[in-house]
Amino acid sequence: MSGSPRENVGRKGAAELRRKERVPGVLYGGNEQIKFSVTSNDFEKVVRQPDTLQINLEINGKTIPAVMQELQWHPVTDRPVHFDLLELIPGKPVKIALPVKVSGVSVGVREGGKLVQNYRRLKIRGKAEDLPDSIALDITPLKIGDNIRVRDITYPGCEILETEASVVVGVQVTRAVVEEKPVAAAAPAAGAAPAAGATPAAGAAPAVAAAEPKKKK
């Protein structure tokens, strides 16, 4: 992404840039802050892609690796109005929100369960060279009732900045699974007399009442 230094850094200057279809931005984290602007068309091509992690900013003949830290949108037009970039410096930890990508088809989903993903992005801290492009989760072994929590996710040299017990993705039971196997009625034991008032089955011999013994006169 190519940027041009900003001369007027106040509100009026920013408004003038927007009228010229440019987006004002700030790069910090290095030796000095750099205030610049980029064309709206080039900027939107980058930020509309959810998988974009690192942005290589070309300014004053120099290419600077950076990550997005803050982005402001216009509440009515939904156009970007301002953004902040953090320069990536080898060996220096940074905080960033990475996209969560799931792969595979879980055992629980095959059995009729429902996959629920609670996080689309996770905040993570680590050195620029240790950060992954995304949080990759294999959901293939998950059965109904299983889940992956924050504490189950590890990346060398990095720390997930979310509550450890939070469920990132899981497989929940559905009503269809519960109703799929109704409990069968228990059959009466062989030789057992039918319950009082029960109707004999078709073709079954009626029960014969035992005759009372005759009294002697």
Side-chain angles (χ1 to χ4, degrees):
M1 184 168 62
S2 179
S4 301
R6 282 194 285 157
E7 296 180 0
N8 299 323
V9 296
R11 291 185 178 181
K12 291 183 178 180
E16 180 65 24
L17 286 171
R18 297 185 190 106
R19 283 193 291 269
K20 295 180 179 179
E21 297 294 322
R22 299 187 68 87
V23 184
V26 176
L27 173 72
Y28 64 93
N31 295 328
E32 61 177 345
Q33 285 191 359
I34 300 177
K35 297 181 179 181
F36 62 98
S37 69
V38 298
T39 64
S40 298
N41 187 41
D42 290 345
F43 184 72
E44 292 200 33
K45 287 180 180 179
V46 174
V47 298
R48 297 292 184 182
Q49 299 179 12
D51 296 337
T52 300
L53 172 60
Q54 180 174 314
I55 298 174
N56 294 321
L57 177 65
E58 297 179 4
I59 188 168
N60 291 331
K62 181 181 179 181
T63 300
I64 305 172
V67 292
M68 187 74 67
Q69 285 293 285
E70 186 177 355
L71 175 57
Q72 299 175 10
W73 300 87
H74 193 281
V76 178
T77 63
D78 195 32
R79 298 286 298 276
V81 296
H82 189 274
F83 67 103
D84 292 343
L85 295 181
L86 175 64
E87 182 177 349
L88 293 176
I89 301 175
K92 185 176 180 179
V94 296
K95 297 178 183 178
I96 189 173
L98 294 180
V100 177
K101 292 186 177 181
V102 298
S103 62
V105 179
S106 75
V107 175
V109 171
R110 291 180 184 275
E111 295 175 348
K114 179 182 178 182
L115 183 69
V116 177
Q117 185 173 341
N118 296 323
Y119 286 85
R120 298 296 173 181
R121 287 180 174 270
L122 286 175
K123 295 177 183 177
I124 186 173
R125 177 171 58 200
K127 297 178 182 179
E129 57 270 26
D130 294 333
L131 290 173
D133 292 334
S134 63
I135 305 296
L137 302 178
D138 181 11
I139 62 172
T140 303
L142 294 184
K143 300 178 181 178
I144 294 178
D146 290 349
N147 53 59
I148 299 176
R149 299 179 183 271
V150 170
R151 59 171 170 258
D152 302 322
I153 304 172
T154 58
Y155 283 93
C158 299
E159 177 187 2
I160 307 295
L161 303 176
E162 307 286 356
T163 304
E164 290 186 355
S166 296
V167 175
V168 179
V169 62
V171 181
Q172 294 181 353
V173 66
T174 61
R175 181 177 298 180
V177 174
V178 175
E179 296 177 351
E180 186 178 8
K181 297 180 180 180
V183 179
T199 304
V208 179
E212 294 184 1
K214 294 182 179 181
K215 295 182 181 179
K216 292 182 180 181
K217 296 181 180 179

